[in-house]
């Protein structure tokens, strides 16, 4: 219970402008990128790790839940404060503290916007690859907490592959520094890996040391149009089997294409059943061009009716704008969407797409398919109207069948969005009882009072 005396304590820590409790503020911080909603009791906007630590101490003493929050772009209801309490937003902890060129690392506070971090390092010739499509409205801390991915993961890996060190506040308020600037460090358990992807349930991340690599100098981007979705899906495997490692290999189906084209007028083909967006990159112009031509050739051989290679940076930017706009553009088709994040071994992509289409046909609701096909990570989005109880009931069944399809094919529930509140009921099926038990024990050891983001990840 947030009494006036507790609010005064919190105000002393975070400052008067760091405590928000108007109905408008509570409403804004009660959402994320889904349709889920639950308001916090208070919103706190600390500026330092020390302040976060003191806030956690107050929360522990008073048994108040704390939900860490970046920019609330999550797609699993992870930052929705389902049990009220404190919404602790890191958006004022947004300083890039150091770009250490000699060691190729950047040290940043958790609330830095991902795109800002990328721009800052790119200006100095460095590259921070993790690129969730939400990169302009997501934070580095949120990306670490979800182990975010993005189109470039196929070649460059996920956020966790770049985390060298963290500063975190534990559930008792203690501050812990893990790792550092060393590329190799195998002393003790890998706590960076434990906290990466922990979705606010084990700690509040306040700072990170992130690995950088050399900025690729050349890019070639192509859009291949297919008359059949199955043909596009099969081509993904053919490109990778040929030894080409594109920086990105993205799939959009016809509904995704239509929604983006209606919203943005980018000249996308409205009569194609699917498109593949392929990008190659590297330090050598000739080999980057050779790879895109080889990928384009494979697309043609596998039935692409047209392959357009972007002629200049503006055309490349427009193709990427199309891909990054899919998720928001789906709002044009239906009042609600439920976007999943299943991943399958890449050889199973054609089969999982067939099964997703069958689920859509069975229940009569559209399932839009797009995503990072190159690494088997698809975002089937069910379009529906939540006000219609009949549709809402069907959505529950459809999600269950989507997850079953992924698991049957040797896949998993989430490639990058995390479990949050939405996937909890399916966790046991995905991980099995032994894994769940171990993970619950870790949670219990680090957060015995269940203060940090209760009601997330674990089934009740
Ligand atoms: C249009 C759109 C496109 C997207 N595309 C992608 C994509 O390509 N790839 C991808 O991976 N995701 C994608 N996402 C999902 C989302 O942007 C990512 O999950 C992102 O990492 C969330 O960052 P955030 O700062 O908004 O975190 P939030 O949504 O605020 O929080 C997400 C989770 O992280 C926890 N958390 C946040 N900050 C901290 C912290 N400092 N310490 C501890 N826990 C914390 C929260 O408690 C919550 O559980 C997309 C979302 C949208 C809306």
């Amino acid at each position: 219970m947030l009494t006036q005396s507790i609010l005064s304590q919190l105000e002393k820590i975070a400052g008067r402008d760091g405590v928000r409790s108007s109905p408008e503020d509570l409403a804004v911080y009660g959402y994320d990128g889904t349709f889920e909603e639950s308001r916090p009791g208070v919103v706190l906007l600390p500026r330092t790790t020390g302040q976060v630590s003191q806030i956690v101490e107050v929360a522990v003493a008073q048994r108040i839940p704390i939900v860490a929050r970046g920019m609330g772009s999550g797609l699993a209801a992870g930052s929705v404060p389902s049990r009220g309490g404190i919404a602790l937003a890191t958006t004022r902890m947004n300083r890039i503290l150091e770009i250490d060129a000699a060691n190729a690392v950047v040290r940043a506070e958790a609330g830095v916007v991902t795109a800002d971090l990328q721009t800052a390092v790119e200006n100095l010739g460095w590259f921070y690859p993790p690129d969730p499509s939400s990169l302009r409205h997501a934070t580095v801390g949120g990306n670490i907490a979800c182990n975010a991915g993005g189109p470039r993961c196929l070649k460059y890996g996920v956020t966790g592959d770049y985390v060298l060190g963290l500063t975190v506040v534990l559930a008792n308020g203690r501050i812990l520094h893990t790792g550092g600037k060393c590329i190799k460090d195998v002393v003790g358990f890998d706590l960076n890996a434990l906290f990466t992807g922990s979705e606010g349930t084990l700690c509040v991340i306040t700072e990170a040391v992130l690995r950088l690599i050399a900025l690729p100098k050349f890019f070639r981007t192509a859009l291949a149009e297919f008359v059949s979705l199955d043909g596009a899906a099969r081509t993904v495997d053919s490109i990778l089997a040929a030894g080409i490692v594109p920086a990105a290999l993205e799939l959009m189906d016809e509904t995704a294409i239509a929604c983006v084209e209606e919203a943005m007028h980018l000249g996308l083909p409205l009569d194609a059943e699917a498109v593949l967006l392929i990008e190659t990159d590297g330090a050598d112009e000739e080999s980057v061009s050779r790879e895109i031509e080889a990928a384009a050739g494979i697309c043609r051989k596998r039935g692409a009716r047209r392959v357009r290679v972007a002629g200049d940076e503006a055309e490349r930017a427009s193709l990427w704008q199309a891909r990054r706009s899919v998720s928001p553009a789906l709002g044009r088709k239906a009042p609600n969407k439920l976007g999943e994040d299943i991943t399958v071994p890449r050889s199973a992509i054609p089969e999982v797409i067939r099964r997703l289409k069958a689920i859509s046909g069975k229940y009569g609701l559209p399932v839009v398919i797009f995503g990072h096909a190159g690494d088997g990570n698809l975002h089937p989005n069910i379009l529906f109207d939540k006000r219609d109880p009949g549709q809402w009931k069907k959505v529950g069944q459809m999600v269950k069948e989507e997850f079953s399809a992924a698991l049957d094919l040797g896949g998993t529930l989430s490639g990058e969005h995390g479990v949050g509140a939405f996937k909890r009921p399916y966790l046991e099926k995905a991980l099995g009882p032994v894994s769940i038990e171990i993970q619950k024990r870790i949670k219990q050891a680090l957060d015995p009072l269940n203060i940090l983001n209760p009601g997330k990840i674990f089934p009740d």
Side-chain angles (χ1 to χ4, degrees), residues 32-33 67-75 78-79 90 110 131-134 137-139 141-143 145-146 148-151 199-200 203-206 327-328 372 379 416-417 453:
D32 71 347
V67 182
R69 183 184 176 91
M71 292 190 86
S73 69
L75 292 174
S79 61
T90 60
D131 65 335
S133 299
S134 51
H137 49 97
T139 62
N143 292 171
C146 295
E199 300 185 45
C203 65
V204 180
I205 299 159
T206 58
S327 187
H372 319 302
H379 298 313
E416 53 185 31
H417 296 166
N453 213 357

mmCIF file of all heavy atoms in Angstrom, residues 32-33 67-75 78-79 90 110 131-134 137-139 141-143 145-146 148-151 199-200 203-206 327-328 372 379 416-417 453, ligand 1:
data_model
loop_
_atom_site.group_PDB
_atom_site.id
_atom_site.type_symbol
_atom_site.label_atom_id
_atom_site.label_comp_id
_atom_site.label_asym_id
_atom_site.label_seq_id
_atom_site.Cartn_x
_atom_site.Cartn_y
_atom_site.Cartn_z
ATOM 1 N N ASP A 32 2.106 -1.438 -22.373
ATOM 2 C CA ASP A 32 3.325 -1.609 -23.161
ATOM 3 C C ASP A 32 2.894 -1.694 -24.629
ATOM 4 O O ASP A 32 1.888 -1.078 -24.991
ATOM 5 C CB ASP A 32 4.148 -2.818 -22.679
ATOM 6 C CG ASP A 32 3.500 -4.157 -23.007
ATOM 7 O OD1 ASP A 32 2.304 -4.171 -23.376
ATOM 8 O OD2 ASP A 32 4.186 -5.179 -22.909
ATOM 9 N N GLY A 33 3.614 -2.455 -25.450
ATOM 10 C CA GLY A 33 3.259 -2.525 -26.867
ATOM 11 C C GLY A 33 2.100 -3.469 -27.159
ATOM 12 O O GLY A 33 1.753 -3.684 -28.317
ATOM 13 N N VAL A 67 8.217 -2.746 -10.992
ATOM 14 C CA VAL A 67 8.326 -3.173 -12.386
ATOM 15 C C VAL A 67 9.269 -2.213 -13.093
ATOM 16 O O VAL A 67 8.943 -1.034 -13.298
ATOM 17 C CB VAL A 67 6.942 -3.174 -13.078
ATOM 18 C CG1 VAL A 67 7.083 -3.672 -14.512
ATOM 19 C CG2 VAL A 67 5.969 -4.041 -12.313
ATOM 20 N N ALA A 68 10.459 -2.722 -13.460
ATOM 21 C CA ALA A 68 11.402 -1.896 -14.221
ATOM 22 C C ALA A 68 10.837 -1.701 -15.616
ATOM 23 O O ALA A 68 10.173 -2.584 -16.163
ATOM 24 C CB ALA A 68 12.755 -2.578 -14.292
ATOM 25 N N ARG A 69 11.137 -0.522 -16.174
ATOM 26 C CA ARG A 69 10.525 -0.192 -17.454
ATOM 27 C C ARG A 69 11.470 0.679 -18.270
ATOM 28 O O ARG A 69 12.090 1.607 -17.739
ATOM 29 C CB ARG A 69 9.249 0.586 -17.156
ATOM 30 C CG ARG A 69 8.435 0.955 -18.346
ATOM 31 C CD ARG A 69 7.253 1.797 -17.878
ATOM 32 N NE ARG A 69 6.501 2.240 -19.011
ATOM 33 C CZ ARG A 69 5.479 1.589 -19.535
ATOM 34 N NH1 ARG A 69 5.067 0.481 -18.998
ATOM 35 N NH2 ARG A 69 4.858 2.053 -20.604
ATOM 36 N N GLY A 70 11.617 0.340 -19.557
ATOM 37 C CA GLY A 70 12.368 1.207 -20.455
ATOM 38 C C GLY A 70 11.387 2.139 -21.136
ATOM 39 O O GLY A 70 10.861 3.071 -20.530
ATOM 40 N N MET A 71 11.089 1.845 -22.422
ATOM 41 C CA MET A 71 10.119 2.700 -23.122
ATOM 42 C C MET A 71 8.775 2.007 -23.337
ATOM 43 O O MET A 71 7.932 2.492 -24.100
ATOM 44 C CB MET A 71 10.698 3.175 -24.442
ATOM 45 C CG MET A 71 11.855 4.127 -24.207
ATOM 46 S SD MET A 71 12.405 4.941 -25.681
ATOM 47 C CE MET A 71 11.290 6.330 -25.726
ATOM 48 N N GLY A 72 8.580 0.874 -22.701
ATOM 49 C CA GLY A 72 7.266 0.219 -22.775
ATOM 50 C C GLY A 72 6.901 -0.262 -24.172
ATOM 51 O O GLY A 72 5.726 -0.320 -24.510
ATOM 52 N N SER A 73 7.904 -0.632 -24.961
ATOM 53 C CA SER A 73 7.595 -1.123 -26.318
ATOM 54 C C SER A 73 7.492 -2.649 -26.347
ATOM 55 O O SER A 73 7.294 -3.235 -27.408
ATOM 56 C CB SER A 73 8.685 -0.681 -27.301
ATOM 57 O OG SER A 73 9.892 -1.372 -27.030
ATOM 58 N N GLY A 74 7.636 -3.286 -25.199
ATOM 59 C CA GLY A 74 7.642 -4.750 -25.138
ATOM 60 C C GLY A 74 6.367 -5.348 -25.714
ATOM 61 O O GLY A 74 5.299 -4.731 -25.706
ATOM 62 N N LEU A 75 6.476 -6.573 -26.200
ATOM 63 C CA LEU A 75 5.336 -7.226 -26.845
ATOM 64 C C LEU A 75 4.896 -8.483 -26.096
ATOM 65 O O LEU A 75 4.324 -9.386 -26.685
ATOM 66 C CB LEU A 75 5.700 -7.561 -28.308
ATOM 67 C CG LEU A 75 5.883 -6.334 -29.215
ATOM 68 C CD1 LEU A 75 6.380 -6.735 -30.599
ATOM 69 C CD2 LEU A 75 4.583 -5.530 -29.344
ATOM 70 N N GLY A 78 5.420 -7.483 -20.480
ATOM 71 C CA GLY A 78 6.422 -7.620 -19.421
ATOM 72 C C GLY A 78 6.517 -6.405 -18.521
ATOM 73 O O GLY A 78 6.758 -6.528 -17.318
ATOM 74 N N SER A 79 6.324 -5.207 -19.057
ATOM 75 C CA SER A 79 6.466 -4.019 -18.213
ATOM 76 C C SER A 79 5.117 -3.482 -17.740
ATOM 77 O O SER A 79 5.035 -2.396 -17.168
ATOM 78 C CB SER A 79 7.255 -2.921 -18.953
ATOM 79 O OG SER A 79 6.574 -2.549 -20.122
ATOM 80 N N THR A 90 13.438 3.934 -16.591
ATOM 81 C CA THR A 90 14.858 4.311 -16.652
ATOM 82 C C THR A 90 15.123 5.455 -17.638
ATOM 83 O O THR A 90 16.269 5.771 -17.916
ATOM 84 C CB THR A 90 15.715 3.102 -17.088
ATOM 85 O OG1 THR A 90 15.253 2.689 -18.374
ATOM 86 C CG2 THR A 90 15.631 1.957 -16.107
ATOM 87 N N ALA A 110 21.106 2.463 -18.628
ATOM 88 C CA ALA A 110 20.075 1.545 -19.156
ATOM 89 C C ALA A 110 19.008 2.254 -19.988
ATOM 90 O O ALA A 110 18.411 1.657 -20.876
ATOM 91 C CB ALA A 110 19.400 0.817 -17.997
ATOM 92 N N ASP A 131 19.433 -4.693 -33.469
ATOM 93 C CA ASP A 131 18.573 -3.678 -34.109
ATOM 94 C C ASP A 131 17.094 -4.051 -34.096
ATOM 95 O O ASP A 131 16.483 -4.255 -35.146
ATOM 96 C CB ASP A 131 19.023 -3.460 -35.559
ATOM 97 C CG ASP A 131 18.829 -4.717 -36.405
ATOM 98 O OD1 ASP A 131 18.814 -5.821 -35.828
ATOM 99 O OD2 ASP A 131 18.662 -4.585 -37.627
ATOM 100 N N PRO A 132 16.501 -4.149 -32.896
ATOM 101 C CA PRO A 132 15.050 -4.408 -32.909
ATOM 102 C C PRO A 132 14.356 -3.352 -33.781
ATOM 103 O O PRO A 132 14.809 -2.212 -33.834
ATOM 104 C CB PRO A 132 14.652 -4.273 -31.436
ATOM 105 C CG PRO A 132 15.770 -3.543 -30.774
ATOM 106 C CD PRO A 132 17.007 -3.881 -31.548
ATOM 107 N N SER A 133 13.292 -3.772 -34.454
ATOM 108 C CA SER A 133 12.599 -2.814 -35.333
ATOM 109 C C SER A 133 12.114 -1.607 -34.541
ATOM 110 O O SER A 133 11.854 -0.547 -35.100
ATOM 111 C CB SER A 133 11.418 -3.498 -36.022
ATOM 112 O OG SER A 133 11.912 -4.558 -36.809
ATOM 113 N N SER A 134 12.001 -1.776 -33.231
ATOM 114 C CA SER A 134 11.556 -0.693 -32.341
ATOM 115 C C SER A 134 12.724 0.177 -31.876
ATOM 116 O O SER A 134 12.600 0.888 -30.886
ATOM 117 C CB SER A 134 10.906 -1.329 -31.115
ATOM 118 O OG SER A 134 11.797 -2.305 -30.576
ATOM 119 N N HIS A 137 12.297 3.497 -30.272
ATOM 120 C CA HIS A 137 11.456 3.637 -29.075
ATOM 121 C C HIS A 137 11.635 2.461 -28.127
ATOM 122 O O HIS A 137 10.668 1.914 -27.575
ATOM 123 C CB HIS A 137 9.990 3.902 -29.432
ATOM 124 C CG HIS A 137 9.426 2.966 -30.452
ATOM 125 N ND1 HIS A 137 8.708 1.868 -30.111
ATOM 126 C CD2 HIS A 137 9.492 2.971 -31.796
ATOM 127 C CE1 HIS A 137 8.357 1.222 -31.207
ATOM 128 N NE2 HIS A 137 8.821 1.857 -32.239
ATOM 129 N N ALA A 138 12.896 2.041 -27.970
ATOM 130 C CA ALA A 138 13.232 1.009 -26.982
ATOM 131 C C ALA A 138 14.574 1.391 -26.369
ATOM 132 O O ALA A 138 15.365 2.099 -26.988
ATOM 133 C CB ALA A 138 13.335 -0.362 -27.658
ATOM 134 N N THR A 139 14.822 0.909 -25.153
ATOM 135 C CA THR A 139 16.064 1.269 -24.461
ATOM 136 C C THR A 139 17.043 0.094 -24.442
ATOM 137 O O THR A 139 16.641 -1.066 -24.579
ATOM 138 C CB THR A 139 15.770 1.648 -22.994
ATOM 139 O OG1 THR A 139 15.197 0.490 -22.335
ATOM 140 C CG2 THR A 139 14.818 2.827 -22.888
ATOM 141 N N GLY A 141 18.527 -0.955 -21.805
ATOM 142 C CA GLY A 141 18.170 -1.794 -20.641
ATOM 143 C C GLY A 141 17.027 -2.738 -20.974
ATOM 144 O O GLY A 141 17.055 -3.921 -20.610
ATOM 145 N N GLY A 142 16.014 -2.234 -21.668
ATOM 146 C CA GLY A 142 14.882 -3.079 -22.080
ATOM 147 C C GLY A 142 15.357 -4.159 -23.045
ATOM 148 O O GLY A 142 14.919 -5.312 -22.967
ATOM 149 N N ASN A 143 16.256 -3.799 -23.952
ATOM 150 C CA ASN A 143 16.792 -4.791 -24.910
ATOM 151 C C ASN A 143 17.549 -5.897 -24.172
ATOM 152 O O ASN A 143 17.430 -7.072 -24.511
ATOM 153 C CB ASN A 143 17.772 -4.133 -25.894
ATOM 154 C CG ASN A 143 17.119 -3.162 -26.869
ATOM 155 O OD1 ASN A 143 17.818 -2.456 -27.580
ATOM 156 N ND2 ASN A 143 15.815 -3.099 -26.888
ATOM 157 N N ALA A 145 17.131 -6.722 -20.992
ATOM 158 C CA ALA A 145 16.165 -7.464 -20.162
ATOM 159 C C ALA A 145 15.365 -8.469 -20.980
ATOM 160 O O ALA A 145 14.893 -9.475 -20.445
ATOM 161 C CB ALA A 145 15.241 -6.491 -19.445
ATOM 162 N N CYS A 146 15.178 -8.203 -22.278
ATOM 163 C CA CYS A 146 14.431 -9.142 -23.142
ATOM 164 C C CYS A 146 15.365 -9.959 -24.033
ATOM 165 O O CYS A 146 14.902 -10.784 -24.807
ATOM 166 C CB CYS A 146 13.468 -8.386 -24.054
ATOM 167 S SG CYS A 146 12.173 -7.545 -23.177
ATOM 168 N N ALA A 148 16.867 -8.759 -26.686
ATOM 169 C CA ALA A 148 16.215 -8.406 -27.954
ATOM 170 C C ALA A 148 17.043 -8.815 -29.160
ATOM 171 O O ALA A 148 18.272 -8.879 -29.107
ATOM 172 C CB ALA A 148 15.961 -6.899 -27.990
ATOM 173 N N GLY A 149 16.326 -9.063 -30.227
ATOM 174 C CA GLY A 149 16.959 -9.377 -31.500
ATOM 175 C C GLY A 149 16.649 -8.316 -32.519
ATOM 176 O O GLY A 149 16.587 -7.133 -32.195
ATOM 177 N N GLY A 150 16.411 -8.756 -33.742
ATOM 178 C CA GLY A 150 16.134 -7.815 -34.824
ATOM 179 C C GLY A 150 16.613 -8.410 -36.130
ATOM 180 O O GLY A 150 17.191 -9.510 -36.143
ATOM 181 N N PRO A 151 16.393 -7.722 -37.236
ATOM 182 C CA PRO A 151 16.753 -8.275 -38.546
ATOM 183 C C PRO A 151 18.219 -8.694 -38.671
ATOM 184 O O PRO A 151 18.539 -9.679 -39.310
ATOM 185 C CB PRO A 151 16.435 -7.125 -39.511
ATOM 186 C CG PRO A 151 15.368 -6.344 -38.816
ATOM 187 C CD PRO A 151 15.653 -6.465 -37.346
ATOM 188 N N GLU A 199 13.984 -10.168 -17.869
ATOM 189 C CA GLU A 199 12.706 -9.446 -17.959
ATOM 190 C C GLU A 199 12.304 -8.734 -16.669
ATOM 191 O O GLU A 199 11.121 -8.724 -16.289
ATOM 192 C CB GLU A 199 11.592 -10.403 -18.400
ATOM 193 C CG GLU A 199 11.860 -11.042 -19.759
ATOM 194 C CD GLU A 199 10.701 -11.885 -20.257
ATOM 195 O OE1 GLU A 199 9.558 -11.433 -20.156
ATOM 196 O OE2 GLU A 199 10.953 -12.999 -20.746
ATOM 197 N N GLY A 200 13.278 -8.178 -15.981
ATOM 198 C CA GLY A 200 12.960 -7.392 -14.781
ATOM 199 C C GLY A 200 12.607 -8.232 -13.571
ATOM 200 O O GLY A 200 12.191 -7.689 -12.547
ATOM 201 N N CYS A 203 16.542 -8.466 -11.305
ATOM 202 C CA CYS A 203 17.320 -7.272 -10.958
ATOM 203 C C CYS A 203 16.796 -6.100 -11.779
ATOM 204 O O CYS A 203 16.036 -6.291 -12.731
ATOM 205 C CB CYS A 203 18.806 -7.485 -11.308
ATOM 206 S SG CYS A 203 19.073 -7.657 -13.078
ATOM 207 N N VAL A 204 17.239 -4.903 -11.381
ATOM 208 C CA VAL A 204 17.026 -3.730 -12.253
ATOM 209 C C VAL A 204 18.388 -3.410 -12.876
ATOM 210 O O VAL A 204 19.365 -3.177 -12.147
ATOM 211 C CB VAL A 204 16.518 -2.504 -11.468
ATOM 212 C CG1 VAL A 204 16.316 -1.323 -12.424
ATOM 213 C CG2 VAL A 204 15.227 -2.823 -10.726
ATOM 214 N N ILE A 205 18.454 -3.435 -14.184
ATOM 215 C CA ILE A 205 19.704 -3.127 -14.885
ATOM 216 C C ILE A 205 19.828 -1.601 -14.957
ATOM 217 O O ILE A 205 18.883 -0.916 -15.366
ATOM 218 C CB ILE A 205 19.673 -3.705 -16.316
ATOM 219 C CG1 ILE A 205 19.527 -5.227 -16.271
ATOM 220 C CG2 ILE A 205 20.919 -3.296 -17.109
ATOM 221 C CD1 ILE A 205 18.989 -5.840 -17.549
ATOM 222 N N THR A 206 20.991 -1.086 -14.535
ATOM 223 C CA THR A 206 21.136 0.379 -14.573
ATOM 224 C C THR A 206 22.232 0.840 -15.535
ATOM 225 O O THR A 206 22.211 1.976 -15.993
ATOM 226 C CB THR A 206 21.418 0.936 -13.164
ATOM 227 O OG1 THR A 206 22.604 0.324 -12.666
ATOM 228 C CG2 THR A 206 20.251 0.699 -12.223
ATOM 229 N N SER A 327 4.639 -3.889 -38.192
ATOM 230 C CA SER A 327 3.879 -4.079 -36.953
ATOM 231 C C SER A 327 2.887 -2.928 -36.721
ATOM 232 O O SER A 327 1.687 -3.182 -36.544
ATOM 233 C CB SER A 327 4.862 -4.263 -35.801
ATOM 234 O OG SER A 327 4.185 -4.610 -34.649
ATOM 235 N N PRO A 328 3.325 -1.645 -36.741
ATOM 236 C CA PRO A 328 2.344 -0.580 -36.546
ATOM 237 C C PRO A 328 1.282 -0.514 -37.642
ATOM 238 O O PRO A 328 0.126 -0.204 -37.373
ATOM 239 C CB PRO A 328 3.184 0.703 -36.523
ATOM 240 C CG PRO A 328 4.591 0.328 -36.801
ATOM 241 C CD PRO A 328 4.713 -1.147 -36.769
ATOM 242 N N HIS A 372 11.836 -12.550 -39.075
ATOM 243 C CA HIS A 372 13.248 -12.759 -39.360
ATOM 244 C C HIS A 372 13.421 -14.192 -39.856
ATOM 245 O O HIS A 372 13.945 -15.059 -39.145
ATOM 246 C CB HIS A 372 14.059 -12.495 -38.100
ATOM 247 C CG HIS A 372 13.570 -11.292 -37.326
ATOM 248 N ND1 HIS A 372 13.504 -10.029 -37.884
ATOM 249 C CD2 HIS A 372 13.094 -11.156 -36.069
ATOM 250 C CE1 HIS A 372 13.028 -9.174 -36.982
ATOM 251 N NE2 HIS A 372 12.756 -9.840 -35.881
ATOM 252 N N HIS A 379 6.899 -13.764 -36.785
ATOM 253 C CA HIS A 379 5.940 -13.038 -35.945
ATOM 254 C C HIS A 379 4.534 -13.198 -36.510
ATOM 255 O O HIS A 379 4.006 -12.276 -37.144
ATOM 256 C CB HIS A 379 6.312 -11.551 -35.891
ATOM 257 C CG HIS A 379 7.652 -11.287 -35.289
ATOM 258 N ND1 HIS A 379 8.068 -11.865 -34.109
ATOM 259 C CD2 HIS A 379 8.672 -10.509 -35.690
ATOM 260 C CE1 HIS A 379 9.283 -11.458 -33.816
ATOM 261 N NE2 HIS A 379 9.692 -10.644 -34.762
ATOM 262 N N GLU A 416 12.741 -13.526 -29.273
ATOM 263 C CA GLU A 416 13.300 -12.224 -28.878
ATOM 264 C C GLU A 416 12.380 -11.380 -27.992
ATOM 265 O O GLU A 416 12.862 -10.477 -27.321
ATOM 266 C CB GLU A 416 13.705 -11.422 -30.127
ATOM 267 C CG GLU A 416 12.591 -11.285 -31.163
ATOM 268 C CD GLU A 416 13.025 -10.595 -32.450
ATOM 269 O OE1 GLU A 416 14.200 -10.722 -32.838
ATOM 270 O OE2 GLU A 416 12.181 -9.919 -33.089
ATOM 271 N N HIS A 417 11.106 -11.639 -27.967
ATOM 272 C CA HIS A 417 10.209 -10.768 -27.185
ATOM 273 C C HIS A 417 10.134 -11.143 -25.715
ATOM 274 O O HIS A 417 9.735 -10.349 -24.890
ATOM 275 C CB HIS A 417 8.792 -10.782 -27.763
ATOM 276 C CG HIS A 417 8.709 -10.212 -29.143
ATOM 277 N ND1 HIS A 417 7.610 -10.381 -29.941
ATOM 278 C CD2 HIS A 417 9.590 -9.483 -29.859
ATOM 279 C CE1 HIS A 417 7.814 -9.777 -31.113
ATOM 280 N NE2 HIS A 417 9.022 -9.234 -31.079
ATOM 281 N N ASN A 453 9.030 -7.441 -10.512
ATOM 282 C CA ASN A 453 8.128 -7.835 -11.602
ATOM 283 C C ASN A 453 7.355 -9.124 -11.330
ATOM 284 O O ASN A 453 7.414 -10.090 -12.121
ATOM 285 C CB ASN A 453 8.919 -7.951 -12.919
ATOM 286 C CG ASN A 453 8.055 -7.548 -14.102
ATOM 287 O OD1 ASN A 453 6.865 -7.247 -13.956
ATOM 288 N ND2 ASN A 453 8.631 -7.541 -15.287
HETATM 289 C C1 LIG B 1 6.826 -1.960 -33.596
HETATM 290 C C2 LIG B 1 7.648 -2.857 -32.717
HETATM 291 C C3 LIG B 1 8.678 -3.591 -33.277
HETATM 292 C C4 LIG B 1 9.456 -4.429 -32.480
HETATM 293 N N1 LIG B 1 10.478 -5.125 -33.057
HETATM 294 C C5 LIG B 1 11.272 -5.905 -32.291
HETATM 295 C C6 LIG B 1 12.360 -6.621 -32.877
HETATM 296 O O1 LIG B 1 12.624 -6.560 -34.082
HETATM 297 N N2 LIG B 1 13.111 -7.382 -32.054
HETATM 298 C C7 LIG B 1 12.864 -7.478 -30.707
HETATM 299 O O2 LIG B 1 13.603 -8.165 -30.010
HETATM 300 N N3 LIG B 1 11.837 -6.813 -30.138
HETATM 301 C C8 LIG B 1 11.041 -6.041 -30.884
HETATM 302 N N4 LIG B 1 9.990 -5.367 -30.303
HETATM 303 C C9 LIG B 1 9.707 -5.546 -28.855
HETATM 304 C C10 LIG B 1 10.381 -4.516 -27.911
HETATM 305 O O3 LIG B 1 10.663 -3.310 -28.566
HETATM 306 C C11 LIG B 1 11.638 -5.097 -27.299
HETATM 307 O O4 LIG B 1 11.260 -6.154 -26.427
HETATM 308 C C12 LIG B 1 12.494 -4.111 -26.495
HETATM 309 O O5 LIG B 1 13.658 -4.782 -26.076
HETATM 310 C C13 LIG B 1 11.781 -3.505 -25.285
HETATM 311 O O6 LIG B 1 12.527 -2.381 -24.832
HETATM 312 P P1 LIG B 1 11.852 -1.308 -23.898
HETATM 313 O O7 LIG B 1 12.908 -0.351 -23.464
HETATM 314 O O8 LIG B 1 10.666 -0.713 -24.544
HETATM 315 O O9 LIG B 1 11.423 -2.210 -22.650
HETATM 316 P P2 LIG B 1 10.001 -2.318 -21.918
HETATM 317 O O10 LIG B 1 8.935 -2.684 -22.873
HETATM 318 O O11 LIG B 1 9.788 -1.125 -21.082
HETATM 319 O O12 LIG B 1 10.281 -3.573 -20.953
HETATM 320 C C14 LIG B 1 10.385 -4.866 -21.484
HETATM 321 C C15 LIG B 1 10.774 -5.855 -20.370
HETATM 322 O O13 LIG B 1 12.077 -5.532 -19.891
HETATM 323 C C16 LIG B 1 12.046 -5.197 -18.495
HETATM 324 N N5 LIG B 1 12.971 -4.076 -18.333
HETATM 325 C C17 LIG B 1 13.004 -2.906 -19.040
HETATM 326 N N6 LIG B 1 14.028 -2.140 -18.633
HETATM 327 C C18 LIG B 1 14.657 -2.838 -17.645
HETATM 328 C C19 LIG B 1 15.788 -2.577 -16.816
HETATM 329 N N7 LIG B 1 16.490 -1.460 -16.910
HETATM 330 N N8 LIG B 1 16.139 -3.512 -15.894
HETATM 331 C C20 LIG B 1 15.448 -4.671 -15.772
HETATM 332 N N9 LIG B 1 14.370 -4.965 -16.522
HETATM 333 C C21 LIG B 1 13.988 -4.065 -17.449
HETATM 334 C C22 LIG B 1 10.603 -4.865 -18.189
HETATM 335 O O14 LIG B 1 10.297 -5.130 -16.842
HETATM 336 C C23 LIG B 1 9.868 -5.798 -19.145
HETATM 337 O O15 LIG B 1 9.791 -7.076 -18.596
HETATM 338 C C24 LIG B 1 9.188 -4.531 -31.080
HETATM 339 C C25 LIG B 1 8.159 -3.774 -30.520
HETATM 340 C C26 LIG B 1 7.386 -2.956 -31.314
HETATM 341 C C27 LIG B 1 6.277 -2.168 -30.674
#
